[in-house]
Amino acid sequence: MTEMLSSPPADPDVASMLDRPAWTALTTLHAHLAEGGDLARRYDPSIVPFAATLDDSPECLAALAALPAPGESMLFLQADPVALPANLTATLEADGVQMIAMDDLPAIEDPRIVQLGEADASDMLELATLTKPGPFTLKALRLGGFWGIRRDGRLVAMAGERMKQPGFTEISGVCTHPEARGNGYARLLSLFVAGRIAASGERPYLHAWASNAAAIRLYESLGFTLRRKMHVTMAVRTS
């Protein structure tokens, strides 16, 4: 459901950073959260399950094969089809889209929006578990800032930052409690986080399932443009 969008002009600098976003994050601004070496890396699995390789060479795949323990899963998100070593078995393969804000988005303020911290982690996990915006753990705050809206004391919506590369920050974790939908919270929080990223001199980008037409329409209306389709694979070590 991406035919409604037009891709921005190709930019080799953007491609080098965002075609394998987990790899460039894990080798730059999130290197302190990484496990692995020069050929394959993953985030500390207690934070987020993303993993990536430098390329699809046999040497990189061998390094990737050594990262997880038997039974552990890793998540891959990249422009090219995902190549797996023999000891990893795909449990999910899906199409995604990567969208980017080509123009600066304005910083906005709203008194309902509050910054979330460690004291909010359990509420954040409860909301993410209910709404399933993507991989989320109690340690997600180590990746970047999160903001939310509470109603009658209950966290009903949130959005935050995930992968970071020089010049780019991903918006993620956008979700709204089913009982609070229809109030524009996802739109408001997405604009708020995007505006903060842009104000810091970075370009906001995000990912969505290719089948999620409603989310794609929302992000298009906020000023995001489809950059390219992405391959999503979850794989478990079976041997």
Side-chain angles (χ1 to χ4, degrees):
M1 299 295 293
T2 60
E3 64 275 11
M4 69 193 78
L5 302 174
S6 59
S7 299
D11 185 329
D13 292 331
V14 175
S16 69
M17 285 290 166
L18 299 187
D19 277 2
R20 294 197 180 208
W23 178 253
T24 49
L26 287 165
T27 54
T28 58
L29 300 184
H30 279 171
H32 62 291
L33 302 175
E35 297 179 354
D38 294 337
L39 301 179
R41 295 189 179 194
R42 69 171 178 174
Y43 281 93
D44 177 335
S46 69
I47 300 174
V48 73
F50 284 114
T53 56
L54 172 65
D55 56 39
D56 295 334
S57 67
E59 295 80 9
C60 288
L61 294 182
L64 178 65
L67 287 178
E72 281 191 326
S73 294
M74 297 190 296
L75 181 62
F76 302 88
L77 172 66
Q78 60 188 55
D80 297 323
V82 177
L84 297 174
N87 70 337
L88 294 183
T89 300
T91 57
L92 168 70
E93 293 180 298
D95 293 327
V97 295
Q98 185 181 87
M99 304 180 73
I100 189 168
M102 300 303 295
D103 299 319
D104 287 341
L105 298 177
I108 65 171
E109 298 293 337
D110 190 297
R112 294 172 294 177
I113 299 174
V114 296
Q115 185 158 15
L116 302 175
E118 294 295 335
D120 303 294
S122 61
D123 289 345
M124 295 167 68
L125 180 60
E126 180 180 355
L127 180 60
T129 301
L130 176 66
T131 58
K132 297 178 172 54
F136 196 89
T137 71
L138 286 170
K139 296 184 179 180
L141 285 163
R142 296 186 63 186
L143 298 170
F146 270 81
W147 293 266
I149 294 174
R150 288 187 177 275
R151 197 166 69 182
D152 298 325
R154 182 174 65 175
L155 183 66
V156 296
M158 68 177 181
E161 302 169 340
R162 190 165 63 185
M163 290 186 278
K164 293 176 177 283
Q165 303 82 9
F168 302 91
T169 294
E170 181 195 18
I171 298 174
S172 186
V174 181
C175 55
T176 303
H177 193 286
E179 295 177 5
R181 289 173 184 164
N183 292 288
Y185 292 155
R187 180 182 184 86
L188 174 63
L189 286 166
S190 296
L191 278 173
F192 178 84
V193 177
R196 287 184 62 92
I197 293 170
S200 72
E202 300 173 349
R203 190 150 306 280
Y205 73 101
L206 52 84
H207 297 97
W209 298 112
S211 59
N212 193 344
I216 292 171
R217 285 195 298 269
L218 168 65
Y219 296 129
E220 182 188 30
S221 73
L222 301 182
F224 286 84
T225 303
L226 175 70
R227 194 185 82 80
R228 66 165 305 143
K229 295 180 180 178
M230 301 290 280
H231 295 270
V232 184
T233 298
M234 178 71 81
V236 61
R237 179 174 174 179
T238 52
S239 61

